[in-house]
Amino acid sequence: MIRTTKIRLGILALGIVLGSSLSALAQQLADRPKQVAVRSLAYDATQETVMEGTVLSYSAEAATPPIGAHLMLQTASGPVDLHLGGASYLQANHFSLAKGDSVKVVGVNSATRQGSIFLVRVIQKGGQSLILRTTKGTPLSLAGARALGMQKTQRQDGAR
């Protein structure tokens, strides 16, 4: 009798563990499509558009993702949040932005968890133009940081 009770309790415990595991798996599968829909900042060069407008505000480090420099641009169709990449890249290329500046940008609109953002590949102000991203959407500020890191590593290796 005791042995039968132990077997029944073991089966019951196994059922509870399997049931909770299946419940957790079902929850993960239910959440997966949502994660894919808002996941990455996809850059499709075939979808590039050109925008012109006036700078409403510029932030070297925005509080909302994606991290990096953001520009709020007043266009004919309303204000648009632009992501420029790393502010240090703009500074290194002597490209400054201030409220009231007229700019022209080329890039792609992308969805984030906070809403829509325009990923700028090229920005132009006056006669000055600066490429901010590769045609695949990778910010050149990241490529510059990697190259700088490689240069430092090479210098250290050469010093040995």
Side-chain angles (χ1 to χ4, degrees), residues 36-137:
V36 172
V38 293
R39 195 177 201 191
S40 66
L41 298 173
Y43 195 96
D44 181 1
T46 63
Q47 300 297 313
E48 283 187 342
T49 58
V50 177
M51 263 195 259
E52 291 184 68
T54 304
V55 175
L56 292 174
S57 64
Y58 169 76
S59 173
E61 229 16 82
T64 58
I67 60 170
H70 282 247
L71 175 74
M72 191 57 74
L73 187 68
Q74 180 63 50
T75 67
S77 58
V80 180
D81 185 10
L82 309 178
H83 182 259
L84 306 176
S88 59
Y89 183 77
L90 294 166
Q91 292 168 347
N93 287 283
H94 309 290
F95 199 95
S96 62
L97 294 160
K99 185 176 180 176
D101 287 346
S102 291
V103 296
K104 184 177 187 177
V105 294
V106 176
V108 171
N109 211 22
S110 184
T112 68
R113 291 179 185 175
Q114 288 73 27
S116 184
I117 191 162
F118 193 81
L119 305 174
V120 178
R121 188 173 67 80
V122 180
I123 187 166
Q124 182 179 9
K125 181 181 91 171
Q128 191 179 12
S129 184
L130 182 62
I131 298 173
L132 303 175
R133 295 178 190 282
T134 66
T135 53
K136 293 185 179 185

